[in-house]
Amino acid sequence: MRSYQGKVLGLCTSLLNNASEAEDAAQEIFVKAYQALGSFHGDSKFSTWLYRIAANHCKDLLRKRSRQKTESLDALIERSGDEVQNLWEPSFDPRNSAGAAELVKKLLDSLSPDEMLILTLREVQGLSYQEISETLKCSLDAVKSRLRRARETLQEKSRHFLQAGTSK
Amino acid sequence: MDHSILKDQLFALYDGELDPASRRDVEAHLAGCRECRESYDRWAMTAKAIFPAPKPATSEFFVRTVMNRIHELESPRPVRRWDLSLRWLVPAIGMAFALFLAIMPASQTMSMDNFLFQEMSGHLSWVYSNRSPNNDETLQFIMGETQ
Ligand SMILES: [Zn+2]
């Protein structure tokens, strides 16, 4: 997926984890980008500029969403017991299990929008540190430390997940 | 080796962001340090469980079409820096867009969004591709024609 459309839609889908929301968001982003075209001066790559608009737009949506969180992680673990264990089986693909997919979604939802964004840019979109620093307008060192913090947070939450699952 | 600094290095190794010399050092350390190996594997497992490879896109065909066009547009030619005289193209994109919306047949089977995005991507990459368009291209662009 290398077109702008694919990149933007891919980013929205990964971040928002909801196909129709992602499509709406991608649409909004292209309209925003179009309206802001005059402010693009070619000092970064066009794709980076577009990604920045997309990232900010999705971050806003995630912020709004995090203000209206519903079910807690613990309640979900309680409900979906065995799926949690499967998640860490080497051969397991969460895409093939609705329950696990929902768990992963909840786990990601429990991250802050900033953590979610930097992890998605790196792990799903495969951006280099340099590209992330240009997209988020921060230094390379900031990318490394933010990424590390986000990963450690995610690992901690996963561990909590796993322990809660196995102790059931 | 300091394990706190090494944690950063392990992530950088995982991300393919180490220069060859550092990579050799870190890999050598990994080979002899179980703690770091486990730490590395733990992240690799977590990432695999949480971020599986993205699903294939639904509009593969459009993406390919867009990319083909972008490649055509970006084929090597004399390069000139994006200059201010091209700024008139910004309102021109608007005109092309409006024209596009007006002439778009209702029976179009692909989604309007996909089509617009495809158009937009193609034109933008051309507008910003560090070279001036020739007259034919400009005309085609204003007319909203696909190439
Ligand atoms: Zn070690």
Side-chain angles (χ1 to χ4, degrees), chain A residues 5 27 34 90 129 148 151, chain B residues 4 15 17 48 94 113-114:
Chain A
Q5 179 207 340
Q27 222 175 88
Y34 171 66
Y129 290 176
R148 173 175 171 169
R151 282 168 162 166
Chain B
S4 168
D15 290 329
E17 294 270 355
K48 185 181 167 285
D113 300 335
N114 280 344

Side-chain angles (χ1 to χ4, degrees), chain A residues 16 42 50 82 86 95-96 109 120 138 140 144:
Chain A
L16 302 173
L50 189 59
D82 294 344
N86 293 340
R95 284 174 297 175
N96 299 331
D109 272 353
T120 304
C138 64
L140 271 179
K144 286 180 209 168

Side-chain angles (χ1 to χ4, degrees), chain A residues 16 18 20 29 32 39 47 63 99 111 123 128 148 157 161:
Chain A
L16 302 173
N18 174 309
S20 71
I29 288 158
K32 274 190 183 177
S39 70
S47 57
R63 278 208 196 97
L111 297 173
E123 296 293 336
S128 68
R148 173 175 171 169
K157 289 184 190 246
F161 235 56

Side-chain angles (χ1 to χ4, degrees), chain B residues 6-120:
Chain B
L6 210 97
K7 191 82 194 262
D8 280 331
Q9 303 265 68
L10 289 181
F11 283 134
L13 175 71
Y14 176 82
D15 290 329
E17 294 270 355
L18 288 179
D19 59 72
S22 311
R23 210 184 91 187
R24 270 195 302 278
D25 289 348
V26 175
E27 281 173 347
H29 177 86
L30 267 183
C33 177
R34 194 172 147 195
E35 188 189 327
C36 284
R37 250 192 340 265
E38 283 175 355
S39 170
Y40 184 94
D41 291 344
R42 211 164 28 244
W43 173 252
M45 291 261 284
T46 305
K48 185 181 167 285
I50 309 290
F51 305 105
K55 289 175 197 174
T58 48
S59 59
E60 203 81 51
F61 169 75
F62 288 114
V63 173
R64 257 202 315 276
T65 315
V66 173
M67 287 319 291
N68 286 344
R69 286 179 46 190
I70 289 173
H71 282 144
E72 274 170 30
L73 295 167
E74 286 176 348
S75 56
R77 298 201 196 184
V79 169
R80 203 177 82 185
R81 178 104 190 97
W82 154 265
D83 70 41
L84 289 175
S85 68
L86 279 179
R87 288 195 169 272
W88 65 271
L89 278 174
V90 173
I93 295 175
M95 281 171 56
F97 246 65
L99 189 64
F100 213 81
L101 281 169
I103 61 169
M104 191 75 174
S107 63
Q108 195 69 44
T109 48
M110 65 185 83
S111 99
M112 175 71 94
D113 300 335
N114 280 344
F115 206 76
L116 282 178
F117 293 165
Q118 181 192 2
E119 282 307 301
M120 195 165 177

